[in-house]
Amino acid sequence: MSPIRWSVIILCVFMTGCSSLGYIAQATRGQIEIAFARTPIDEILANKGADAETRKRLELVKRIRRFAIDELDLPDNRSYTTYSELGRRYAVWNVVAAPAYSLTLKTWCFPMTGCLAYRGYFSEEKAEAYEQSLAERGYDTDLYGVVAYSTLGWFDDPVLDTFLHYPEHVLAGLIFHELAHQVVYVKDDTAFNEAFATAVEQEGVERWMRKYGDSSRVSEYRRAHERNSRVIGLILNYRNRLAEAYDSTGQDGLASAKGRILGELTAAYESLSQKGEGTEYWDRWFSRELNNARLGSIATYHSLVPAFRDVLSKSESMAGFYAAVAEQSERTAPERHAWLQSHMDEPSLP
């Protein structure tokens, strides 16, 4: 890690102003902790005394990384060539917030990343304290753990023990997703960035499963993906209904409309679940109180994915897809999203 890059971090601390100094300082400490815990994967694999299961999983990571480069045209750099043990469940904890009667997520702005629709902490305790402060100010809030994140090429992202033992296709998808952020990233447009990376992730996992999974595993994965898509579609549908209610309901009726629609969403999922269409993940997700922040997070990652998938289906190659997306990244946000909407309205090719 070069002194120049550390200088950039220090400069960014002062550029953000004193009010954010404490937050940026904890982020810098967290990144330094991860960076200094790195060990080259090849060094671990050469150590016959290393944990056998860890070595097995890191061998899998090497194959996934090679696949990402050869099959998906993702960056061939030093990301995911090292391993860091953090000894905790999550790498960071994200806080999301939205006003009580709006689905527009609060954003936080930083020099390197632009404005984000979440604020990440390397300490769960600090994340909880900040979430509580937002709730006391009347915001709907959500807090969730994140097992991996991308430094957008500023640093060589390591494999972390927080996700190393995930199922094979989940591990592959996570690496594809985070590497995609190094291909195209637009400041101040979290929904664009996350949907693009999710589309690359989905395409990558499908290709990985076709190449390395037997027919039964591929069929199982596709069924799970379809179930997941139906639940996400359900959430986005009710999110749209809630947005319409906020726009058309008088101030006195907002609380009632919000409670009714969120209650209907919960009942709709329960109905799906009774038909065998639910999943353990979504069961847990719906077990917590629904609010604007939680629905907003789902929309951030998934609402634009069909558009990117449509663009990808019409591209001759992954490189062509990236070029088309990169071209749009140079345009204004309204222009980008109008382009994506045009692909939402078009049926994808088989």
Side-chain angles (χ1 to χ4, degrees):
M1 196 169 309
S2 73
I4 292 176
R5 288 189 175 180
W6 286 123
S7 298
V8 170
I9 289 182
I10 294 169
L11 177 62
C12 287
V13 168
F14 291 102
M15 285 174 64
T16 55
C18 295
S19 62
S20 298
L21 186 59
Y23 171 76
I24 298 296
Q26 68 84 32
T28 303
R29 287 194 302 270
Q31 183 59 41
I32 290 173
E33 174 194 359
I34 291 176
F36 277 87
R38 295 182 305 179
T39 302
I41 288 176
D42 286 340
E43 183 179 313
I44 297 172
L45 296 178
N47 179 6
K48 302 302 182 182
D51 177 71
E53 181 60 23
T54 297
R55 292 175 64 205
K56 178 180 176 181
R57 300 298 293 183
L58 291 176
E59 286 279 12
L60 174 60
V61 167
K62 289 192 68 172
R63 294 197 300 274
I64 291 170
R65 182 177 171 276
R66 190 72 257 166
F67 182 91
I69 295 164
D70 294 342
E71 302 290 337
L72 302 176
D73 278 330
L74 288 169
D76 184 2
N77 54 31
R78 290 181 54 80
S79 288
Y80 305 114
T81 63
T82 60
Y83 175 60
S84 295
E85 288 191 350
L86 304 183
R88 58 181 187 254
R89 186 177 179 185
Y90 297 113
V92 295
W93 288 262
N94 282 350
V95 177
V96 180
Y101 301 115
S102 171
L103 288 157
T104 300
L105 296 180
K106 178 178 173 59
T107 58
W108 294 267
C109 301
F110 308 98
M112 288 190 292
T113 60
C115 298
L116 303 173
Y118 54 84
R119 180 160 162 150
Y121 285 85
F122 285 88
S123 161
E124 184 176 16
E125 181 180 355
K126 290 184 184 298
E128 288 175 343
Y130 187 64
E131 180 196 28
Q132 182 61 35
S133 72
L134 290 171
E136 290 172 353
R137 290 159 55 189
Y139 283 98
D140 279 8
T141 63
D142 188 26
L143 186 154
Y144 57 91
V146 178
V147 297
Y149 63 93
S150 172
T151 59
L152 309 178
W154 281 87
F155 305 103
D156 302 324
D157 296 326
V159 177
L160 303 176
D161 57 346
T162 52
F163 62 82
L164 179 62
H165 297 283
Y166 272 19
E168 179 181 309
H169 70 280
V170 179
L171 176 62
L174 188 151
I175 291 174
F176 301 153
H177 184 107
E178 301 305 338
L179 284 174
H181 283 310
Q182 297 184 25
V183 176
V184 177
Y185 181 86
V186 182
K187 281 190 174 184
D188 309 332
D189 201 337
T190 305
F192 185 93
N193 296 327
E194 294 301 342
F196 164 69
T198 298
V200 174
E201 170 190 341
Q202 291 179 357
E203 178 69 15
V205 172
E206 288 171 11
R207 294 189 185 195
W208 175 270
M209 293 295 291
R210 286 198 300 268
K211 186 167 185 176
Y212 295 111
D214 58 39
S215 58
S216 62
R217 288 179 62 205
V218 171
S219 297
E220 181 182 349
Y221 166 74
R222 287 176 175 167
R223 287 194 297 271
H225 179 70
E226 290 169 0
R227 285 197 302 273
N228 192 57
S229 295
R230 279 192 284 273
V231 177
I232 291 171
L234 180 75
I235 295 170
L236 293 179
N237 178 49
Y238 276 89
R239 179 190 177 277
N240 291 339
R241 288 180 55 185
L242 191 57
E244 292 172 1
Y246 288 154
D247 288 340
S248 61
T249 306
Q251 189 69 30
D252 292 343
L254 287 173
S256 176
K258 178 180 180 180
R260 173 177 54 79
I261 293 172
L262 292 180
E264 290 173 357
L265 170 56
T266 300
Y269 176 73
E270 290 175 353
S271 178
L272 265 185
S273 186
Q274 289 170 2
K275 297 174 183 177
E277 295 295 315
T279 69
E280 183 178 345
Y281 171 83
W282 290 113
D283 287 347
R284 292 196 304 271
W285 194 87
F286 275 95
S287 69
R288 297 169 55 204
E289 182 180 1
L290 300 183
N291 63 30
N292 297 332
R294 303 195 66 224
L295 268 61
S297 293
I298 297 298
T300 295
Y301 279 81
H302 297 284
S303 62
L304 299 177
V305 172
F308 281 108
R309 296 286 287 168
D310 186 66
V311 176
L312 177 54
S313 73
K314 296 181 170 88
S315 301
E316 294 184 356
S317 64
M318 293 301 294
F321 170 59
Y322 299 151
V325 175
E327 181 181 351
Q328 294 300 319
S329 73
E330 300 297 323
R331 299 186 175 183
T332 66
E335 289 172 337
R336 282 195 303 275
H337 286 262
W339 175 74
L340 287 170
Q341 190 58 52
S342 73
H343 286 279
M344 295 281 280
D345 296 335
E346 299 176 15
S348 296
L349 296 175

